[in-house]
Amino acid sequence: VQEYFTEDYNMMDFNISKNFLDIFEFTFGVKNVFNVKDILSSPAQSGGTQAPSSTFPVGWGRSYFLNLRIKVL
């Protein structure tokens, strides 16, 4: 049995919205603001043989989006 530790990471999202004429809602956003793609995982320090560190994918990186909603009466 080998114990591993993974490094800390944050994936912040940001959205901003604006209403126009009480009919339209425009939203702009960014997902994964910090552009986290992979995190490092390394074995615990236990005095024995060392296993190599490795990376694990956690996301595809930063992405942007636009959204337009139209309120139908």
Side-chain angles (χ1 to χ4, degrees):
V1 175
Q2 179 71 38
E3 183 178 11
Y4 280 82
F5 292 101
T6 56
E7 66 181 6
D8 296 337
Y9 68 96
N10 291 305
M11 297 169 58
M12 183 175 80
D13 297 338
F14 173 78
N15 298 323
I16 187 165
S17 297
K18 177 69 177 166
N19 291 324
F20 296 100
L21 305 173
D22 291 331
I23 297 173
F24 302 103
E25 180 185 0
F26 178 75
T27 304
F28 169 76
V30 181
K31 293 186 177 187
N32 194 358
V33 172
F34 300 123
N35 200 27
V36 177
K37 296 178 185 176
D38 300 314
I39 58 170
L40 183 64
S41 178
S42 58
Q45 302 289 353
S46 60
T49 60
Q50 290 282 331
S53 297
S54 58
T55 59
F56 293 99
V58 293
W60 59 78
R62 184 180 304 125
S63 58
Y64 303 91
F65 68 91
L66 295 172
N67 184 19
L68 175 64
R69 289 185 177 186
I70 301 172
K71 186 187 295 184
V72 180
L73 302 173

